[in-house]
Amino acid sequence: MNNTRKDSIDLSLKDKNIKGELNANFKEIKAVNYTDLENTLKTCNYSTIQWKGNNRKEDNFISASGFVIDIDDGMTIEEAKNVLTTHNLNYALITSKSHSDGLHKFHIILPFSRKIYTVENYKAVVERIKL
């Protein structure tokens, strides 16, 4: 991360599990220091969005501190790193549970320089993100 960024990102967190239907309710919102980010991403389910009652529904949107891109095919980790570096973006990259050398599956977290407080503004920013 460069010096113009804060040293943490707000994440909604939940105990690690692999069943999507169990990830509708997050337990806490926590400012995670970038030095602790790798461990947090490996041990928790996470989101850069915070919701009312920690319930992951669009109507409950409070704010977003970043955007998570889920890459399941079509791009290798090295290709993604090259694109992100070329555009001088701050990012965190972590492999998915089903990642392999032959099939790259991973998540890219793009932290925002400031929080977004409306779902409409969040959608507008997401529309502009192209890898």
Side-chain angles (χ1 to χ4, degrees):
M1 300 293 163
N2 67 35
N3 291 332
T4 62
R5 313 266 324 173
K6 61 183 185 171
D7 60 358
S8 65
I9 184 169
D10 290 341
L11 295 176
S12 294
L13 300 173
K14 181 172 180 32
D15 297 336
K16 190 77 165 179
N17 67 68
I18 58 172
K19 294 184 178 184
E21 65 271 12
L22 298 178
N23 293 318
N25 292 297
F26 285 76
K27 290 187 177 181
E28 65 177 315
I29 298 171
K30 181 178 178 184
V32 178
N33 289 330
Y34 288 123
T35 55
D36 299 327
L37 188 58
E38 180 179 2
N39 184 57
T40 300
L41 298 180
K42 287 180 177 179
T43 59
C44 297
N45 286 346
Y46 54 88
S47 176
T48 57
I49 299 174
Q50 289 76 54
W51 298 274
K52 293 175 194 158
N54 294 325
N55 189 317
R56 192 174 80 169
K57 291 185 179 178
E58 184 176 316
D59 290 345
N60 293 336
F61 182 95
I62 295 173
S63 65
S65 58
F67 180 65
V68 179
I69 302 168
D70 187 15
I71 307 290
D72 285 332
D73 63 23
M75 181 179 279
T76 67
I77 289 173
E78 285 307 313
E79 289 169 338
K81 286 180 179 180
N82 287 338
V83 170
L84 294 161
T85 302
T86 298
H87 292 289
N88 197 29
L89 294 172
N90 291 313
Y91 67 94
L93 189 149
I94 186 166
T95 56
S96 301
K97 63 181 173 8
S98 54
H99 171 80
S100 68
D101 290 339
L103 184 58
H104 287 223
K105 294 187 174 199
F106 54 98
H107 302 150
I108 300 168
I109 300 173
L110 299 173
F112 298 149
S113 58
R114 56 187 160 82
K115 279 190 175 184
I116 293 175
Y117 289 98
T118 69
V119 72
E120 295 79 18
N121 285 345
Y122 179 75
K123 287 179 179 182
V125 168
V126 168
E127 272 298 308
R128 302 174 99 188
I129 297 173
K130 307 265 191 263
L131 275 188

